Amino acid sequence: MSTLSRSLSLPTRSLAVLLLGGFVACSHPGPGVANITGGATGGGTVDPPPIVFSLDDMEGDWFGQLTPDSLARDVRNFYFTVVGGQIVESADSLGNQWTSIDTTSLDFNVDGVMAANIESVLVTNNLVLTAQMNDALSTLTGEFSHLNAADILIEGSFVLKRSMGAGQFSADLMDGVWKGTGANSRGKRRFIELTLDVAGAVLSGQMIRPHDSFVQHTYSASAANVFTLTNDSVGRMDNVQINADDGSVLFFTYALIDEDGTLIGGPGFDSLLGSGVAGLSKVDPAPAAE
């Protein structure tokens, strides 16, 4: 890890500890518990007992979006998976991914305050999350700081939902027209347009050079060109290969879709442009003519 990574990681961890300390003072009454009041003799109000959270409440998949404070930064789809009280897998739609070989810590106290630190062992890629779980045990609301491989610190907020498990995401979320950009490691960008059906199959598409609108690749309907959910608990698609009419390949190592079907993104490569990251937003359909 770089010197800058170490220097930023320690204050960030300290911030998480301070946030934990602040939240410890708060207790959360159980949902639907009525106050017990005294009778005509003027008895006082008895507060309902607080909910006592435990690390077991974190088990499972959590998904949502990380929203940077800076409008110049991209919103990203994100998820993490907790098994046995540990984060075993996490990824976002900008190509940042952490697996079981990476270093993670997860703290969760009796007041439902989470502090997580996810750090790559190969490159500088450190993500710190602090959040409060709601009383229904269904959402985490908090803040993040991400120190990426370029030593850029990105901060923002998030709301993550607990996945219901298999079937949380369905292929019909991909139905529609998607437009966005792909950028390779040298910063060269291309516009990408794809039309997908309810099964995630590509009906048509093209890749366009921005400065002169030259169409470099076109994509036609093919049984092989399909965005297929490989983990429908979190909206993840692995090894998505789209074959162009000229024989070139657009490949997503993995791609994530959000719960509302508005953003698809992930890392991959184009056979002519090399490796990079692409992000596509669904285009609202034109209103029907009256």
Side-chain angles (χ1 to χ4, degrees), residues 34-135:
N35 284 341
I36 303 173
T37 58
T41 57
T45 298
V46 178
D47 292 331
I51 288 179
V52 178
F53 295 87
S54 71
L55 187 56
D56 289 343
D57 296 329
M58 287 294 305
E59 291 290 301
D61 297 307
W62 297 84
F63 67 89
Q65 292 184 325
L66 305 183
T67 304
D69 293 334
S70 171
L71 296 178
R73 299 289 179 185
D74 293 326
V75 174
R76 59 184 94 171
N77 297 334
F78 175 75
Y79 77 90
F80 67 78
T81 299
V82 177
V83 176
Q86 297 185 17
I87 297 175
V88 297
E89 181 181 338
S90 184
D92 68 24
S93 56
L94 296 183
N96 301 292
Q97 182 171 219
W98 300 267
T99 66
S100 58
I101 69 169
D102 295 312
T103 301
T104 64
S105 65
L106 176 63
D107 295 313
F108 188 67
N109 69 16
V110 295
D111 294 308
V113 180
M114 181 198 76
N117 188 22
I118 312 171
E119 189 170 358
S120 174
V121 299
L122 300 177
V123 295
T124 301
N125 196 16
N126 186 29
L127 179 65
V128 174
L129 307 166
T130 57
Q132 173 70 56
M133 184 179 286
N134 69 340
D135 291 348

Side-chain angles (χ1 to χ4, degrees), residues 175-180 194 261-262 281-286:
D175 181 32
V177 178
W178 298 81
K179 294 184 179 182
L194 295 173
T262 62
S281 296
K282 184 177 288 185
V283 179
D284 291 333

Side-chain angles (χ1 to χ4, degrees), residues 14 26 43 61 74 86 114 116 130 137 140 168 172 177 197 199 216 218 224-225 241 248-249 253 265 281:
S14 298
C26 302
D61 297 307
D74 293 326
Q86 297 185 17
M114 181 198 76
T130 57
L137 311 181
L140 291 165
Q168 175 73 56
D172 59 8
V177 178
D197 69 9
Q216 288 192 296
T218 58
N225 292 351
Q241 180 171 317
S248 65
V249 172
T253 307
S281 296

Side-chain angles (χ1 to χ4, degrees), residues 229-244:
L229 288 164
T230 52
N231 185 344
D232 59 9
S233 295
V234 296
R236 178 170 173 139
M237 298 162 276
D238 289 285
N239 302 320
V240 179
Q241 180 171 317
I242 309 300
N243 300 310

